[in-house]
Amino acid sequence: TTLLYTIKFEDPSCTMSFIEVDKDSDFSYQNLPYGIFSTTSNTTPRIGVAIGDYVLDISAVKHLFHPEIAAKCIEGQRSLNALMGSGRQVWTEFRNTVKKILSAEDQSIQGDVQLRQHAIIPASSVIMHLPADIGDYTDFYSSRNHATNVGTMFRGKDNALQPNWLHLPVGYHGRASSVVVSGTAVKRPVGQILPTPTATTPIFAPCKLMDFELEMGFFVGPGNQFGEPIKMENAADHIFGMVLMNDWSARDVQKWEYVPLGPFNAKNFGTTISPWVVTMDALAPFRLPHTPKEDPEPLPYLKEKDSYQFNIELFVAIKGEEMVEPAVVSHSNFKYMYWSPRQQLVHHSVTGCNMRPGDLLGSGTISGTEDHELGCMLELCWKGTREVKLGESGEIRKFLKDGDEVLMTGYAQGPGYRVGFGHCSGKVLPANNVQ
């Protein structure tokens, strides 16, 4: 059924909501990210929109949406999958409705005291859930700086990048079942590791080189038919929005297992994502100018005619158990990606692989060119050869200790507002007993 557009609310001069939002809040009126939440008084997971220090309960205002959208994307929905799969026309209508009913000019919620008390919930009282039922998860390796650094450590500067790296977005299939929402603790994994650098026989033991990876992920919107690839010219219509992502890594497990098929147990024990999905519409003002950087030039199916890179500031902090405040150890930027999300999606489906709404694709570790821009402990400590200071706490690290909490944040900075992602955090728990 073709939707009849009842909401035409795209006035760029209206930048204010009746809900007061601090200029440094991640969740500005220009952002309005989507998530799945519940409360102690209503334990049913449902769709929410973050704005300032509050969450708009979409189920409480579904009558203000187009009836077809309410029926298809809101009523009874415990995930964003239905909205993700509904396509750009519905995304636009949905977002315009949210902007209208939260605007300073509109009285639909603002003028109804009872509805306002029911629909506007303090963010401090909500429980966040995974935003989607994630059917499949793929992780890429698309930061040239990161790939060069890791390759240099293990193969030398002259052979840092594998021959295929500059021709395609390298990736591997991850484990969707162990993707968890921010705030979930992650156990240190156990597995096969080499006890010394010169050993050739493994032992079964807890991981000693546990690491974080600073990444971003994007959720697939409408899928493609089996056997029919997604083309570059309409790839953006298949990308719903983005989250922060920590793809926890067991470096010693990975070193032993990765030849010849790549990461397996070293990556499947946990991947943390932030709960709020920032839409590509909200990120649109932060797209960078198109400056083709690929050399050699990619094959025609991977060529982009315009930019799909974004200026998003990214931070990683670590808080040890004895520390009062977390210490920032990395400040990077999503602009350092060599392969874009659009290129990743097109390459993933070029074989005819069918993508589905709610599939999660990770960027790979995001590293810049400077030491403070490195996106994992492996790089920050340069394979254990240097120490990483945790601010003024007096603590140092090479890799993560039990009890360490890793906190990732990120935002795009606009004039007087931010489009941010909230927190992506997780604490390292001790490994299971290996006996």
Side-chain angles (χ1 to χ4, degrees):
T1 303
T2 301
L3 287 169
L4 300 175
Y5 277 83
T6 56
I7 302 296
K8 294 290 186 182
F9 191 75
E10 301 174 5
D11 181 4
S13 65
C14 182
T15 60
M16 297 292 290
S17 169
F18 68 86
I19 296 175
E20 185 175 348
V21 180
D22 186 88
K23 64 180 179 61
D24 292 330
S25 170
D26 277 353
F27 305 130
S28 61
Y29 180 64
Q30 291 81 356
N31 188 355
L32 303 178
Y34 306 137
I36 299 295
F37 79 100
S38 64
T39 59
T40 54
S41 60
N42 182 353
T43 58
T44 301
R46 54 205 188 272
I47 299 175
V49 174
I51 178 165
D53 295 327
Y54 296 90
V55 174
L56 171 65
D57 185 345
I58 295 298
S59 69
V61 294
K62 63 185 179 183
H63 61 284
L64 301 177
F65 286 76
H66 189 287
E68 291 182 33
I69 291 180
K72 180 181 178 181
C73 301
I74 301 174
E75 292 177 7
Q77 297 299 325
R78 293 174 174 238
S79 74
L80 294 173
N81 291 59
L83 179 59
M84 290 173 173
S86 62
R88 182 161 298 282
Q89 183 183 20
V90 170
W91 298 347
T92 300
E93 173 89 355
F94 196 103
R95 180 171 169 82
N96 285 345
T97 302
V98 172
K99 292 194 75 173
K100 178 181 184 298
I101 62 181
L102 287 175
S103 71
E105 290 81 4
D106 191 83
Q107 296 296 312
S108 301
I109 302 174
Q110 183 181 189
D112 186 330
V113 174
Q114 186 174 0
L115 179 60
R116 189 169 70 242
Q117 291 176 343
H118 185 53
I120 305 296
I121 302 170
S124 58
S125 67
V126 305
I127 301 162
M128 298 305 300
H129 305 271
L130 282 174
D133 292 327
I134 303 169
D136 284 293
Y137 158 52
T138 301
D139 194 31
F140 285 91
Y141 188 53
S142 291
S143 162
R144 184 171 185 172
N145 297 322
H146 172 69
T148 299
N149 289 338
V150 174
T152 299
M153 290 179 209
F154 292 100
R155 292 186 298 274
K157 188 175 181 179
D158 293 339
N159 298 301
L161 293 180
Q162 299 284 11
N164 63 356
W165 201 95
L166 293 172
H167 294 273
L168 58 82
V170 173
Y172 68 93
H173 296 291
R175 184 72 186 174
S177 65
S178 54
V179 177
V180 296
V181 74
S182 176
T184 305
V186 176
K187 278 189 178 182
R188 180 179 299 272
V190 297
Q192 292 192 24
I193 63 174
L194 295 174
T196 66
T198 58
T200 57
T201 302
I203 61 172
F204 183 64
C207 161
K208 293 180 173 60
L209 308 181
M210 189 163 172
D211 203 352
F212 64 80
E213 288 189 339
L214 171 61
E215 302 195 25
M216 298 196 72
F218 70 86
F219 281 103
V220 174
N224 55 303
Q225 293 297 316
F226 177 63
E228 298 295 328
I230 295 172
K231 304 292 186 181
M232 185 62 72
E233 54 264 30
N234 59 16
D237 290 335
H238 294 265
I239 300 176
F240 178 74
M242 302 193 73
V243 291
L244 300 174
M245 192 168 103
N246 178 2
D247 192 31
W248 302 90
S249 297
R251 298 299 184 188
D252 41 3
V253 175
Q254 184 175 354
K255 181 181 179 181
W256 172 243
E257 75 175 4
Y258 85 102
V259 177
L261 294 180
F264 185 52
N265 283 342
K267 295 295 190 83
N268 70 7
F269 63 94
T271 300
T272 305
I273 63 172
S274 53
W276 293 106
V277 183
V278 177
T279 66
M280 305 316 292
D281 284 340
L283 291 172
F286 307 100
R287 281 174 69 164
L288 296 168
H290 186 49
T291 52
K293 61 191 176 309
E294 297 96 341
D295 183 17
E297 187 175 282
L299 291 171
Y301 79 97
L302 284 173
K303 289 182 68 173
E304 294 181 297
K305 294 181 179 179
D306 58 356
S307 169
Y308 210 70
Q309 303 285 0
F310 298 85
N311 183 14
I312 303 171
E313 301 284 352
L314 300 169
F315 303 85
V316 184
I318 297 175
K319 182 178 182 294
E321 281 194 309
E322 304 301 319
M323 294 172 59
V324 177
E325 297 291 338
V328 174
V329 295
S330 176
H331 175 190
S332 191
N333 194 297
F334 190 63
K335 68 183 180 183
Y336 291 126
M337 300 306 298
Y338 186 86
W339 298 104
S340 77
R342 201 163 50 184
Q343 289 171 313
Q344 293 170 338
L345 180 61
V346 167
H347 182 66
H348 199 320
S349 71
V350 73
T351 58
C353 172
N354 50 320
M355 314 300 291
R356 294 177 294 187
D359 284 355
L360 176 66
L361 277 65
S363 63
T365 304
I366 304 164
S367 293
T369 56
E370 305 298 324
D371 284 351
H372 71 274
E373 296 174 322
L374 302 176
C376 63
M377 295 300 288
L378 178 65
E379 291 175 274
L380 288 165
C381 78
W382 204 258
K383 205 172 75 168
T385 61
R386 59 195 188 198
E387 296 177 335
V388 180
K389 293 183 178 180
L390 301 189
E392 302 301 319
S393 68
E395 296 206 29
I396 57 173
R397 293 288 187 278
K398 291 185 177 179
F399 291 92
L400 298 174
K401 293 183 177 182
D402 291 347
D404 282 352
E405 182 179 10
V406 178
L407 174 66
M408 295 181 178
T409 54
Y411 60 85
Q413 182 66 58
Y417 70 92
R418 287 179 176 175
V419 171
F421 292 80
H423 291 173
C424 176
S425 65
K427 186 175 184 177
V428 180
L429 297 181
N432 290 325
N433 194 322
V434 298
Q435 300 301 322

